[in-house]
């Protein structure tokens, strides 16, 4: 195995570990949304604030973890972001199916109805490594 190949494999494992941390934050955010935000702000307000909070958390985690992950070039940043997006989608649909949700019900989350900004969260997820690199002055 070449040195470059080993570096890319290490980068992928680190990006996976960071995504797992983002997943934990997303679960806590969901609990906060359901138990605190929606009861206090109503459904629409709770969903919007929760989505905004999650997007901010994703960018913050990307900013803090990017030096450790080691992605600096545009293709590496894109690979990390696309990887995080794919992992998120696989998790969401697998979790939904496991809990007996219909495809129609799951796809409803991908609209902007009722204050839902899940599509924006996904867009931020894929762009977060690039945004973080930009904030760091790397690009």
């Amino acid at each position: 195995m070449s040195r470059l190949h080993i570096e890319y494999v290490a980068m992928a494992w680190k990006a996976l570990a960071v995504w797992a941390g983002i997943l934990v934050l997303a679960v806590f955010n969901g609990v906060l949304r359901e138990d605190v935000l929606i009861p206090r702000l109503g459904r629409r307000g709770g969903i919007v604030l929760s989505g905004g909070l999650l997007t901010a958390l994703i960018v913050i985690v990307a900013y803090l973890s990017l030096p450790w992950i080691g992605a600096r070039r545009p293709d590496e940043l894109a690979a990390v972001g696309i990887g995080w997006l794919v992992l998120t989608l696989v998790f969401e649909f697998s979790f939904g199916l496991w809990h007996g949700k219909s495809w129609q019900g799951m796809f409803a989350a991908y609209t902007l109805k009722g204050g839902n900004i899940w599509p924006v969260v996904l867009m931020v997820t894929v762009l977060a490594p690039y945004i973080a690199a930009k904030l760091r002055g790397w690009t």
Side-chain angles (χ1 to χ4, degrees):
M1 227 189 295
S2 73
R3 182 175 163 257
L4 185 61
H5 181 75
I6 291 169
E7 289 175 13
Y8 283 136
V9 169
M11 189 182 305
W13 279 108
K14 289 175 181 180
L16 176 63
V18 171
W19 176 82
I22 291 170
L23 177 63
V24 170
L25 290 173
V27 169
F28 283 127
N29 181 60
V31 171
L32 175 70
R33 179 187 62 238
E34 297 301 319
D35 293 349
V36 177
L37 299 178
I38 290 175
R40 286 185 171 75
L41 304 174
R43 184 134 195 92
R44 179 182 222 99
I47 289 173
V48 170
L49 185 56
S50 173
L53 177 61
L54 184 55
T55 59
L57 287 170
I58 292 167
V59 171
I60 290 167
V61 168
Y63 181 85
L64 295 174
S65 66
L66 210 52
W68 179 68
I69 292 172
R72 287 189 75 121
R73 294 192 341 247
D75 61 324
E76 295 168 343
L77 298 168
V80 171
I82 291 167
W84 287 353
L85 176 64
V86 168
L87 288 166
T88 300
L89 293 172
V90 168
F91 175 81
E92 284 293 316
F93 285 109
S94 298
F95 191 76
L97 291 172
W98 182 50
H99 279 86
K101 290 187 178 181
S102 69
W103 284 101
Q104 182 180 1
M106 288 187 290
F107 281 125
Y110 293 81
T111 66
L112 295 173
K113 293 180 182 174
N116 178 30
I117 63 168
W118 182 242
V120 175
V121 173
L122 294 175
M123 190 181 323
V124 169
T125 299
V126 76
L127 294 174
Y130 177 79
I131 293 167
K134 195 80 166 158
L135 290 171
R136 287 185 168 278
W138 292 357
T139 59

